Amino acid sequence: MKRYLFFIMAVFTTVSFGQNVDENRVTFNFVQLPTNPIADQYSTFNVIVERKYEQANEDSLVAYQSQLEQASLEYEAQMAAWREQKKVVMRDYYTKMSRWQKQVNAGATTTPKPTDPIIPAAPVMREIPNPKLHSDITDDQVSNAISLAGYDKGEGGATVTIGIQPVSDISIKMTSKKSETSVKYTYTANYKMPVEIKVEDPSQGVILQTIVLNSMRNYTIGSYDSQYDFELWWLDNKDMFWSDLEKKARDGGLAEANTYVNNKCGFPVRSRSIYVYTVKRFKDHQYNDLTNAYTAAMQGYQMVGQDRDRSAAEGKINEAITIWKTMLKESNPNDRKARVNDKVTALLYANLAEAYIWLSDFNNAEMYMNLALNSGVGKFKRAVSGLGGYINERQLRWNTNF
């Protein structure tokens, strides 16, 4: 496994609360291991773009042409019918004019002239709106949006294929909110634009293939004092709206794809904040050993992010664990006045559960978590209540890579 050194800033704060138990917050970085790892021999990746929206553009053009042809056929049929209607009207008019003219020529000067014919309006061909075609996206636009922590861009390694789908299922919804003197009308565009992801390397083939954002999303257009203010805006900005929506959808899709690829295949640096618990004093008891363990643990946690297997941190974390486990030999949960009473015992369980995670000893981490959960001390039950899922995820990632 390749190792990378990171400059790590750990943040430490101490909060004291009831019965002299101190919460010492420690914030440190660590290298998250992939769930779908690229083979160890590869250190580079490149990005390939698949323009799935091009087929949608072709479909839109075909549909547009079909609608034009249908509208043209309808128009020709309407024109043929109109010409027949016009012929009937003109035939009646000319017949009347012929009779009138003959009467006038015969001397009947008082015969009224027939009124001009009323010809029905000629049909107008149904207007077919231009198709909304997706603009092209360049290879650089996609490649620049995709990074893979722990890898450089280059040929010969992994390949990340990004499939850009079309923006679809677009609908605009309006909601209103009334105040004492006005109403605000907010317009939101709902849409869908999935992104396809495939990661492969030369030795394993496909190691990840999925679709992200395969559900409806939304985009706030704006809020207006009147529904007609929106209609006025729409008259001048309809085309810009479609362009803005496409850009937002693509930017969001690429960002989500980048996050997903890194979470599954990369080695991103993550941050974790925990508490290391100590006791200043209790009755006449001294807890210098807890302070020494905290110091060692703090130093160890600072080193967790120095390498992927966390080996740099093992010495200091083990030093803290040794102190905590030595103290557990004094555990007397039934004697509240004991130096290691029920509360201090539960405190040690909580410290040990977290520490063993970073030694990748997940059995012990789970064991001490369960001991804290069953300790009967509410504070430390709550402290480890969310640790089970975290242990499972860290174990999955560790076992996949080592």
Side-chain angles (χ1 to χ4, degrees):
M1 278 288 180
K2 300 179 290 292
R3 299 183 179 182
Y4 290 79
L5 297 181
F6 299 92
F7 292 102
I8 305 168
M9 177 177 291
V11 180
F12 310 99
T13 60
T14 301
V15 179
S16 297
F17 62 102
Q19 298 187 6
N20 298 312
V21 173
D22 287 346
E23 291 181 332
N24 305 284
R25 181 181 288 277
V26 180
T27 301
F28 58 93
N29 291 337
F30 66 96
V31 181
Q32 179 179 276
L33 301 174
T35 58
N36 300 66
I38 295 165
D40 292 347
Q41 63 264 38
Y42 304 113
S43 60
T44 60
F45 77 103
N46 69 324
V47 178
I48 294 176
V49 184
E50 290 185 348
R51 295 169 174 82
K52 304 290 186 175
Y53 58 84
E54 289 180 344
Q55 183 60 52
N57 283 351
E58 291 180 16
D59 293 343
S60 294
L61 288 171
V62 169
Y64 175 68
Q65 188 60 39
S66 176
Q67 291 171 351
L68 277 180
E69 291 173 359
Q70 181 62 35
S72 179
L73 290 173
E74 292 173 359
Y75 175 68
E76 289 174 5
Q78 291 166 356
M79 281 298 294
W82 176 79
R83 291 188 190 99
E84 287 301 318
Q85 288 179 329
K86 181 181 177 182
K87 184 187 290 186
V88 169
V89 171
M90 294 308 296
R91 183 182 300 279
D92 179 66
Y93 173 69
Y94 291 146
T95 300
K96 290 177 180 177
M97 284 297 294
S98 174
R99 185 183 306 120
W100 171 80
Q101 192 174 48
K102 290 175 183 177
Q103 290 174 349
V104 170
N105 290 341
T109 58
T110 59
T111 302
K113 183 179 180 180
T115 59
D116 291 339
I118 299 175
I119 301 173
V124 176
M125 182 171 167
R126 176 163 55 93
E127 183 178 359
I128 305 300
N130 291 327
K132 295 178 178 66
L133 301 179
H134 294 82
S135 64
D136 195 23
I137 190 167
T138 67
D139 289 349
D140 284 346
Q141 283 176 289
V142 178
S143 181
N144 291 339
I146 303 298
S147 60
L148 191 55
Y151 296 87
D152 297 320
K153 283 186 177 171
E155 301 297 327
T159 299
V160 179
T161 302
I162 302 295
I164 307 297
Q165 293 275 6
V167 182
S168 63
D169 300 342
I170 302 169
S171 63
I172 296 177
K173 306 293 184 183
M174 184 274 290
T175 58
S176 61
K177 185 175 182 180
K178 184 175 177 57
S179 65
E180 291 184 2
T181 59
S182 65
V183 179
K184 277 289 184 184
Y185 301 89
T186 299
Y187 289 80
T188 303
N190 297 321
Y191 67 95
K192 189 175 181 181
M193 200 209 84
V195 178
E196 297 180 8
I197 301 171
K198 182 169 67 175
V199 181
E200 50 196 326
D201 72 35
S203 65
Q204 301 179 96
V206 176
I207 60 176
L208 175 68
Q209 188 164 15
T210 190
I211 298 175
V212 297
L213 298 178
N214 197 19
S215 59
M216 297 300 294
R217 298 151 69 191
N218 60 72
Y219 166 53
T220 300
I221 300 171
S223 294
Y224 303 86
D225 295 328
S226 163
Q227 290 173 272
Y228 298 98
D229 285 345
F230 169 75
E231 297 297 343
L232 288 168
W233 177 87
W234 187 255
L235 285 174
D236 297 325
N237 296 280
K238 184 177 180 179
D239 290 339
M240 184 185 72
F241 160 75
W242 296 115
S243 176
D244 288 348
L245 176 61
E246 181 186 65
K247 183 178 186 306
K248 178 179 175 60
R250 286 179 172 177
D251 288 350
L254 289 172
E256 180 67 20
N258 186 61
T259 298
Y260 192 90
V261 168
N262 274 277
N263 188 51
K264 294 293 185 179
C265 302
F267 291 89
V269 177
R270 305 297 194 201
S271 179
R272 179 160 174 81
S273 290
I274 64 170
Y275 288 112
V276 179
Y277 300 99
T278 58
V279 179
K280 283 187 177 178
R281 65 180 181 81
F282 175 60
K283 296 187 179 298
D284 295 328
H285 301 305
Q286 298 296 320
Y287 294 93
N288 293 334
D289 43 1
L290 267 183
T291 301
N292 292 337
Y294 160 64
T295 300
M298 179 183 65
Q299 292 171 346
Y301 290 139
Q302 288 184 73
M303 293 185 284
V304 163
Q306 290 185 7
D307 42 39
R308 294 177 181 177
D309 63 3
R310 303 164 200 153
S311 56
E314 288 178 2
K316 285 297 181 180
I317 293 177
N318 271 318
E319 183 180 329
I321 286 174
T322 298
I323 295 172
W324 291 328
K325 292 178 76 171
T326 299
M327 290 184 67
L328 278 177
K329 294 176 182 178
E330 302 177 44
S331 176
N332 190 353
N334 297 319
D335 183 357
R336 290 178 175 257
K337 296 181 180 180
R339 188 175 92 99
V340 185
N341 59 13
D342 57 341
K343 180 177 289 186
V344 177
T345 298
L347 173 156
L348 293 168
Y349 292 156
N351 283 347
L352 284 162
E354 181 70 35
Y356 273 116
I357 293 174
W358 303 106
L359 292 184
S360 302
D361 186 343
F362 302 106
N363 290 334
N364 270 321
E366 186 172 9
M367 180 186 75
Y368 283 109
M369 176 194 72
N370 288 329
L371 287 171
L373 287 171
N374 295 314
S375 66
V377 181
K379 172 174 179 55
F380 297 108
K381 287 174 65 176
R382 292 188 295 273
V384 300
S385 62
L387 207 56
Y390 195 76
I391 291 172
N392 290 339
E393 184 187 0
R394 299 275 77 78
Q395 184 172 16
L396 169 65
R397 292 179 182 274
W398 180 266
N399 290 344
T400 302
N401 290 270
F402 293 101

